[in-house]
Amino acid sequence: MGSRASTLLREEELKEIKKKTGFSHSQITRFYSRFTSLDKGQNGTLSRDNEKSKDVNGPEPLNSRSNKLRFAFRLYDLDKDDKISRDELVQVLRMMVGMNISDEQLGSLADRTIREADQDGDSGISFTEFVKVLEKVDVEQKMSIQFLH
Ligand SMILES: [Ca+2]
Ligand SMILES: [Ca+2]
C-alpha cells in the first residue's frame, strides 16, 4: 500500500503535511492510503458531493492550507460527521502509535486533547476547533505527538 500512496502524494505535499501535523512520513502515507481507499470517485477528494462545499468561495487549489487542514481533519473524522469524537481520536492515535501505549494512556491523551480543543463544550472537535488547535498550540501539539514515539 505504501507504493500506491507515494505515487499519489507528491514529496512536497508530504513535507508540507509533515510540517503542519508533525506526523512522520510513514504515518502520512498510511493515512493517505486509507484516504485514497475511501475515495471511491478517484478524483482526489473525499465525497465533495455529499459535503457542504458551497460555503467556500469556489474550488481551492489542492495544496491550499485549508485543504491540507481539511485533509488532516478527515484523517481523524472517521465517520465523517464533521466532528472528531473521543472514540475517533482514540482510534486514530492507536493507528499512529501502534502498540507502544496502553489504552489508559491513549484515553487520557484523547481526553486531554479534546479538553484543550473543545470550545463549545459538545465533547467533540469540530473542524473550526481543529484548525484553532493546529494554529494556536501547533508546537505543543507536535511535541505531544513526538512524545508518543
Ligand atoms: Ca466523527
Ligand atoms: Ca466542540
Side-chain angles (χ1 to χ4, degrees):
M1 75 183 206
S3 59
R4 182 172 176 240
S6 57
T7 57
L8 288 165
L9 201 60
R10 289 203 310 273
E11 194 60 33
E12 64 262 34
E13 292 176 320
L14 266 177
K15 276 186 201 146
E16 188 67 18
I17 296 171
K18 273 192 276 192
K19 212 166 66 186
K20 291 283 192 301
T21 60
F23 294 154
S24 74
H25 186 288
S26 64
Q27 286 166 341
I28 294 166
T29 50
R30 214 182 321 164
F31 281 136
Y32 197 77
S33 299
R34 185 191 167 85
F35 175 78
T36 49
S37 69
L38 291 170
D39 179 20
K40 301 205 172 57
Q42 303 287 313
N43 59 358
T45 58
L46 258 188
S47 59
R48 198 171 264 284
D49 42 330
N50 58 23
E51 268 178 49
K52 39 179 173 70
S53 57
K54 293 280 188 279
D55 52 356
V56 284
N57 313 330
E60 293 178 75
L62 252 182
N63 59 352
S64 74
R65 173 172 168 78
S66 77
N67 266 323
K68 290 234 170 69
L69 288 167
R70 178 58 79 173
F71 173 79
F73 183 76
R74 281 175 179 151
L75 297 177
Y76 287 91
D77 184 20
L78 303 172
D79 65 2
K80 300 201 271 303
D81 67 350
D82 279 331
K83 199 170 85 173
I84 301 168
S85 67
R86 181 185 183 278
D87 281 349
E88 285 168 340
L89 199 54
V90 167
Q91 283 183 60
V92 173
L93 289 172
R94 167 65 71 200
M95 278 194 282
M96 292 197 313
V97 302
M99 306 307 285
N100 300 324
I101 185 170
S102 72
D103 286 339
E104 201 174 297
Q105 287 173 302
L106 214 53
S108 69
L109 180 71
D111 284 338
R112 202 187 76 198
T113 307
I114 292 204
R115 213 164 42 234
E116 284 170 2
D118 188 20
Q119 298 185 319
D120 59 8
D122 66 351
S123 302
I125 305 173
S126 68
F127 181 62
T128 314
E129 288 165 345
F130 181 76
V131 170
K132 282 183 181 147
V133 167
L134 289 187
E135 278 173 355
K136 282 188 182 171
V137 288
D138 203 17
V139 175
E140 192 185 326
Q141 185 83 355
K142 278 178 187 162
M143 282 173 65
S144 64
I145 288 171
Q146 294 297 327
F147 167 77
L148 293 168
H149 284 237

